[in-house]
Amino acid sequence: MRLAELSGRSGVSTATIKYYLREGLLPPGRQVNATTAEYGEEHLRRLRLVRAMVQVGRLPVATVREVLGHVDDDSLGRTVRLGAALWALPQVPEPDADDEHVRAAREEADALLEALGWSNARLLKTISPAYRSLVVAVAALRRLGYRPDAELLVSYARLMHRAAELDLDHVEQQPSEAERVEAAVLGAILVEPVLQALHRLAQEEESARRYGFE
Amino acid sequence: MRLAELSGRSGVSTATIKYYLREGLLPPGRQVNATTAEYGEEHLRRLRLVRAMVQVGRLPVATVREVLGHVDDDSLGRTVRLGAALWALPQVPEPDADDEHVRAAREEADALLEALGWSNARLLKTISPAYRSLVVAVAALRRLGYRPDAELLVSYARLMHRAAELDLDHVEQQPSEAERVEAAVLGAILVEPVLQALHRLAQEEESARRYGFE
C-alpha cells in the first residue's frame, strides 16, 4: 500500500508517519520510484505499536526507539525481548538504601518472593525495576505507619501471577514470533489500565453486594 | 499527647499539623489551656490517613477534605463511605459519546458486566468513574486497531474481583467502624501500586520460567 492508504488504515497522519520514518521508529518502505514507496502489513502493525507506546504508554520517542531495538534484535533471548517494554515503562527512582523503611520493605519483599517460590524474580531482583517498585510501594506503607499483612501480600501476588500467565498465554497464541513480541509489548502497556479499572469496578460491585446501596 | 509527641510519632512536622488543623483535615485537640491542646490515637490515625491521600494518592487538599467529609458522615451508607476515596482518585475525563470506538467499548464493557453477573456495577455505571475508566481503556485498544478478547477480559475481571474480596475481607477485620472506613480509604490508595508492581514482577517470573534467561 502507498503512504496515503497506510495513513487511512492506521489513523495516523502522513506527516506523523514521515516523522516516525525519519526517527527510525518505522522501517522504510520498498522504494517503487524516486518519490513513492510501498508499505506492507508489517508497517501497519509497527505503526500501531508505536502509537500504543507514544499515546497510551506516554514513552518518549528515544525510549520507543530503544524498545523497538530490543524487539527487533532476535539475537536476544525471549525473556529479554518480551520484557523490553516492561523495563522501559516509567519507573520509580531507586529508593534510598539507608532509609530504615526501605531496608525493612526489602526484607519483606524478599520474604514474599521466598514464600512464593519465585526464584527467577530473586535472580532478576538486582536489575528488575518491578522489584524496586514493590520495595518502594511497601516502604511507602511502612512510612505511613502500616505493616502490610504478609499473608495478604502472598494472596495478591498469586492473583497477579495468574494474570501474568493469562498475559503470556495470549502472547503465545499469536501466529509469528514478531507478532508475539509485539503482543508482549502491547500487553505491558495496555493491560494495566484495564486491570486497574476492573479492580475499582470490582470493589464497587463487591461493596454493594455486601452492604447494599442504603 | 501534646503536639510535639503527635509530630514525633506521626513523622509529620508541627507546622504541617497546624496547617492540617487550620484546613479542617484534622479535628481540633482537647484544649487543656489557652496555648495547649491534647491529642489522641484517633488524631494519629487521621494524620496517617491524610498523609496517605496527600503524599501517595497525590490528592489536592480540597479533595482530601471532601473524602474525609464522607468518611465521617455516618448518615451515609457503608458502600458510599467505603467508596469515598475510590471516587475521589484522579479519574479519566468523560469520553466522547459520539466517538465510534467509545460506543463500541461501552457495548463491550456492558457485555462483560453481563457475562460476569455484576448487576450492581451495571446499576452504578451511570455514575461510576471506574466504569468510565474501563470504557476509556477498551476504547484506547480499539482505536489502536485491537479488539480485546472477551474471554480474556472475563478472566482478568474474575481475578480483580477476587482481589476486591481480599480488600474488603481485610477492611472487615478492623476493630471499629471508623477504622474500617479508614482502611477502605487507605486500601483504595495504597493497594494499586502494590498490585501493579506484583503484576510486573510476575510477568518477569513467568517469562523466565517459560523461556529461561538466554
Side-chain angles (χ1 to χ4, degrees):
Chain A
M1 73 192 97
R2 299 295 157 83
L3 185 64
E5 189 185 343
L6 183 63
S7 168
R9 284 183 62 193
S10 65
V12 180
S13 71
T14 55
T16 301
I17 294 176
K18 285 178 181 169
Y19 169 68
Y20 288 164
L21 284 164
R22 275 199 310 277
E23 291 289 327
L25 303 186
L26 195 65
R30 192 172 54 81
Q31 211 66 32
V32 178
N33 59 45
T35 56
T36 316
E38 186 68 24
Y39 301 91
E41 292 298 319
E42 72 280 16
H43 288 94
L44 191 58
R45 287 211 320 270
R46 178 53 54 101
L47 212 42
R48 286 176 176 163
L49 192 63
V50 169
R51 282 180 73 212
M53 287 195 269
V54 171
Q55 291 180 4
V56 183
R58 309 224 171 269
L59 300 187
V61 163
T63 308
V64 171
R65 197 187 293 111
E66 198 185 318
V67 172
L68 293 175
H70 283 87
V71 164
D72 292 333
D73 184 350
D74 48 23
S75 77
L76 292 172
R78 226 168 161 204
T79 297
V80 173
R81 288 178 79 195
L82 294 183
L86 267 190
W87 292 30
L89 288 174
Q91 307 292 349
V92 297
E94 187 68 49
D96 176 5
D98 290 334
D99 181 300
E100 56 168 319
H101 300 297
V102 170
R103 275 205 309 271
R106 211 178 279 275
E107 278 170 28
E108 265 171 317
D110 291 350
L112 172 66
L113 296 181
E114 194 72 48
L116 292 162
W118 289 8
S119 51
N120 293 302
R122 271 187 82 79
L123 265 170
L124 284 164
K125 79 175 197 188
T126 41
I127 43 171
S128 160
Y131 173 81
R132 194 166 65 205
S133 301
L134 179 63
V135 169
V136 167
V138 173
L141 279 166
R142 297 191 68 99
R143 197 166 293 118
L144 291 167
Y146 303 97
R147 294 192 48 166
D149 180 313
E151 212 176 305
L152 185 60
L153 278 183
V154 168
S155 302
Y156 282 141
R158 289 202 201 287
L159 289 177
M160 292 303 107
H161 189 193
R162 185 70 199 111
E165 287 174 340
L166 290 170
D167 297 336
L168 280 184
D169 289 348
H170 179 73
V171 162
E172 290 183 358
Q173 281 165 22
Q174 305 307 311
S176 71
E177 184 66 11
E179 283 162 281
R180 282 191 283 275
V181 176
E182 288 175 2
V185 171
L186 283 166
I189 291 166
L190 301 175
V191 168
E192 281 177 7
V194 172
L195 287 180
Q196 192 186 64
L198 288 172
H199 182 223
R200 291 184 183 183
L201 207 53
Q203 285 182 317
E204 292 179 0
E205 168 70 18
E206 185 60 22
S207 196
R209 278 191 199 182
R210 293 192 190 190
Y211 317 122
F213 288 111
E214 221 31 57
Chain B
M1 73 193 99
R2 298 296 158 84
L3 186 64
E5 189 185 344
L6 184 63
S7 168
R9 285 183 61 192
S10 65
V12 179
S13 72
T14 56
T16 301
I17 293 177
K18 285 178 182 168
Y19 169 68
Y20 289 163
L21 284 165
R22 273 199 309 278
E23 291 289 326
L25 304 185
L26 196 65
R30 192 173 55 82
Q31 211 67 31
V32 179
N33 60 46
T35 56
T36 317
E38 186 69 25
Y39 300 91
E41 292 299 319
E42 72 280 14
H43 288 93
L44 192 57
R45 288 210 320 271
R46 178 53 53 100
L47 212 41
R48 286 176 176 163
L49 193 62
V50 170
R51 281 180 72 212
M53 288 195 268
V54 171
Q55 291 179 6
V56 183
R58 308 224 172 271
L59 299 187
V61 164
T63 308
V64 171
R65 195 187 295 113
E66 198 185 321
V67 172
L68 293 175
H70 283 87
V71 163
D72 292 333
D73 184 351
D74 48 23
S75 76
L76 293 172
R78 230 173 157 196
T79 297
V80 173
R81 289 178 77 194
L82 295 182
L86 266 189
W87 292 29
L89 288 174
Q91 307 293 349
V92 298
E94 186 68 46
D96 177 4
D98 290 334
D99 182 297
E100 56 169 319
H101 300 298
V102 170
R103 274 204 309 270
R106 210 178 281 273
E107 279 171 27
E108 264 172 319
D110 291 351
L112 173 65
L113 296 181
E114 194 73 46
L116 290 162
W118 289 8
S119 50
N120 294 302
R122 270 186 83 79
L123 266 172
L124 284 164
K125 80 174 196 188
T126 41
I127 43 170
S128 160
Y131 173 81
R132 194 166 65 205
S133 301
L134 179 63
V135 169
V136 167
V138 172
L141 279 165
R142 296 191 68 100
R143 198 166 290 118
L144 291 166
Y146 302 97
R147 292 192 51 166
D149 181 314
E151 212 176 306
L152 185 60
L153 278 183
V154 169
S155 302
Y156 282 141
R158 289 202 202 286
L159 290 176
M160 291 304 107
H161 189 192
R162 185 71 198 110
E165 286 173 340
L166 291 170
D167 297 335
L168 280 184
D169 289 348
H170 179 74
V171 163
E172 290 184 358
Q173 280 164 25
Q174 305 308 310
S176 70
E177 184 67 12
E179 283 162 281
R180 282 190 283 276
V181 176
E182 287 175 4
V185 171
L186 283 165
I189 291 165
L190 301 174
V191 168
E192 280 177 7
V194 172
L195 288 180
Q196 189 184 67
L198 288 172
H199 182 223
R200 292 184 183 183
L201 207 53
Q203 285 182 318
E204 292 179 359
E205 168 71 17
E206 185 60 22
S207 197
R209 278 190 198 182
R210 294 191 189 191
Y211 318 121
F213 287 111
E214 250 343 276

